[in-house]
Every structure is written in structure tokens, then in C-alpha cells.
């Protein structure tokens, strides 16, 4: 593939993503921490996102689609360290092969971990070697699918802390694997936000953001979610 279209796609994405970098702004929040890597690559001049399917033998969410990632360990310096270490353990991606661009607005998972998405570029030639204890499959989806899906539905979901949110659910028909993957929950939430940031255009479905003020509205959403988690914790004490 010619270097020029790849360069152009990467440059434009880099520029947009850096405006949304939260750095370690939320690193002092008193929740257990986790991080995921959102690995971007360019194929045929278009941005694609690498995703994994969790092994069926895992206790939590077996068989579900997610990004490489997991809980922070004592040896990790920061969220970036966590995401890169987990990606290496899960799919054999070497940390030095990732060009880390930014950290986006975090989310809170079902276990009330604060999950930070770390965005990085990887080579389109990367060959994943999934660790079968953790990952059963690896596949890629055009990033554009998360703003212009062919098969999409949404449902309202009340978190354990009582926060009402819209859950995105995408069905992606993968030609390479000759099967469909269901991408939903926090994974879909991060993929949608990433696509909104990079493309800067309106999706074909409703989102919980003010698209003209994406930075401030995503921060407000997160603060509301975080506040509801804290209130819930207080009421449980």
C-alpha cells in the first residue's frame, strides 16, 4: 500500500485525537483502575480498529467482544502501561510497536472499575498471536462502522448505581472469519466515541452527546456517571 494515504489518515486522526487527550486528569479518582488499548490501523486507506473475543473459559463475560486490556497491576506506571502490558499478554502486541496517541474520557465498567481507553496506532501487518487462556479470536472492523453501521440497535440500561444510559449494540459481519460479531456495552461506547472524535460527523443513530460540544458533553456524562457510582457507594456503607 502506498505510504501517502496511510500517512494522511494517521495525521488527521492524530490531530483530532490530541484535542481530546485527558492525560491523567482522572487518575486521582478513588476507584479501582483498569485500561484498554484501542488499536488503530490503516487498511486500504481506511482506519480500522482491532478487537478481541474473550475466551470461553474466563469467569467474567466469556465469549464477549472487547479491546485488549485489564486491571492495573502494582508494577504499572500508569494507564498506558496497563493497556500496553495487557495487549502484549493477550494478543502478542509488543509495546514498542504501538504509537500511543492519547487517553480518552474514561468509563466505568460493571465491576465499578474506572476504565481508561488508550488510543494507539499499530502496523497493518501486525499478526496477532492470541493467548488462548484469555482470547479466542482477533478481528478488525472499519472505524466508520461505528458511525454508519449496517446492523445496529440500542437499548436503555440502568447501571447498578441507578444511572440511566443508552447501550449501543452493533452486529458486524466479518468476511474474513465468515461470521458475525456482536459489539456492545463499554466496548461499543469507546468505539463510538473514538469514531465521533476522529470523523467529526453525525452518526446515523442517536448518541448521548451534544455533538457540537463533544469535549464538554462527554466530560459531563462521565461526571454524572461517576457521581452516581459514588452516591451508590455511600448509600451502601
Amino acid at each position: 500500500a502506498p505510504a501517502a494515504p496511510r500517512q494522511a489518515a494517521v495525521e488527521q486522526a492524530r490531530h483530532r485525537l490530541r484535542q481530546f487527550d485527558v492525560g491523567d486528569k482522572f487518575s486521582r479518582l478513588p476507584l479501582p483502575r483498569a485500561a484498554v488499548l484501542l488499536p488503530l490501523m490503516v487498511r486500504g486507506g481506511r482506519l480500522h480498529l482491532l478487537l478481541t473475543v474473550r475466551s470461553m473459559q474466563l469467569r467474567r463475560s466469556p465469549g464477549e467482544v472487547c479491546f485488549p486490556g485489564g486491571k492495573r497491576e502494582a508494577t504499572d506506571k500508569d494507564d498506558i502501561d496497563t493497556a500496553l502490558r495487557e495487549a502484549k499478554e493477550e494478543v502478542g502486541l509488543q509495546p514498542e510497536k504501538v504509537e500511543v496517541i492519547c487517553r480518552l474520557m474514561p468509563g466505568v465498567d460493571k465491576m465499578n472499575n474506572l476504565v481508561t481507553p488508550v488510543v494507539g496506532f499499530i502496523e497493518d501487518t501486525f499478526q496477532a498471536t492470541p493467548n488462548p487462556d484469555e482470547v479466542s479470536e482477533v478481528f478488525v472492523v472499519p472505524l466508520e462502522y461505528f458511525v454508519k453501521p449496517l446492523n445496529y440497535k440500542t437499548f436503555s440500561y440502568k447501571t447498578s448505581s441507578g444511572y440511566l444510559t443508552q447501550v449501543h449494540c452493533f452486529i458486524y459481519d466479518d468476511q474474513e472469519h465468515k461470521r458475525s460479531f456482536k459489539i456492545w456495552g463499554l466496548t461499543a461506547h469507546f468505539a463510538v466515541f473514538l469514531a465521533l472524535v476522529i470523523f467529526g460527523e453525525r452518526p446515523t443513530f442517536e448518541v448521548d452527546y451534544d455533538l457540537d460540544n463533544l469535549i464538554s458533553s462527554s466530560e459531563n456524562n462521565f461526571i454524572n456517571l461517576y457521581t452516581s457510582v459514588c452516591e451508590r457507594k455511600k448509600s451502601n456503607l
Side-chain angles (χ1 to χ4, degrees):
R6 180 187 192 276
Q7 224 22 61
V10 170
E11 263 318 306
Q12 194 184 355
R14 254 197 221 116
H15 175 70
R16 297 271 310 167
L17 286 162
R18 292 214 169 109
Q19 297 169 34
F20 285 81
D21 188 3
V22 300
D24 52 12
K25 184 173 183 175
F26 302 103
S27 62
R28 308 279 176 277
L29 296 180
L31 286 181
R33 304 191 67 80
V36 292
L37 182 67
L38 278 51
L40 283 167
M41 60 171 75
V42 181
R43 281 191 177 174
R46 294 164 73 203
L47 290 171
H48 287 68
L49 201 47
L50 180 137
L51 291 141
T52 69
V53 180
R54 290 171 63 83
S55 161
M56 288 310 287
Q57 59 210 30
L58 289 170
R59 262 203 339 269
R60 207 163 55 77
S61 310
E64 290 202 355
V65 170
C66 64
F67 291 110
K71 282 179 129 155
R72 185 161 183 173
E73 289 183 2
T75 49
D76 298 337
K77 284 201 309 285
D78 55 20
D79 300 316
I80 294 172
D81 251 21
T82 303
L84 294 177
R85 175 183 53 71
E86 288 280 351
K88 184 182 177 185
E89 287 170 15
E90 290 178 16
V91 297
L93 178 60
Q94 298 300 323
E96 66 275 9
K97 295 282 190 191
V98 183
E99 182 204 347
V100 173
I101 305 293
C102 69
R103 284 169 277 188
L104 294 178
M105 196 62 64
V108 178
D109 70 9
K110 293 193 283 267
M111 317 294 289
N112 285 341
N113 295 306
L114 185 76
V115 186
T116 298
V118 176
V119 185
F121 276 100
I122 63 174
E123 289 298 325
D124 60 335
T125 51
F126 169 65
Q127 293 291 320
T129 48
N131 170 354
D133 294 338
E134 299 192 47
V135 172
S136 64
E137 283 178 276
V138 177
F139 65 104
V140 299
V141 180
L143 184 62
E144 204 176 14
Y145 197 80
F146 297 106
V147 281
K148 294 178 185 164
L150 298 173
N151 191 339
Y152 169 86
K153 59 180 188 285
T154 181
F155 52 93
S156 293
Y157 174 74
K158 207 171 207 163
T159 66
S160 58
S161 59
Y163 181 76
L164 190 67
T165 178
Q166 286 297 105
V167 175
H168 305 292
C169 180
F170 299 86
I171 306 293
Y172 178 67
D173 294 326
D174 187 297
Q175 299 307 311
E176 206 178 320
H177 291 79
K178 300 280 182 280
R179 80 179 195 78
S180 296
F181 293 101
K182 177 184 174 184
I183 307 159
W184 69 292
L186 196 56
T187 301
H189 168 81
F190 286 151
V192 167
F193 189 67
L194 180 67
L196 291 175
V197 166
I198 289 178
F199 297 126
E201 57 184 70
R202 292 183 181 274
T204 56
F205 51 87
E206 290 295 311
V207 286
D208 288 345
Y209 303 111
D210 170 359
L211 292 170
D212 298 320
N213 300 291
L214 192 51
I215 293 180
S216 56
S217 82
S218 64
E219 188 161 325
N220 289 341
N221 285 5
F222 170 70
I223 289 166
N224 291 338
L225 170 63
Y226 174 70
T227 307
S228 80
V229 171
C230 293
E231 294 298 326
R232 165 79 192 232
K233 280 189 161 172
K234 270 189 209 140
S235 66
N236 284 350
L237 291 177

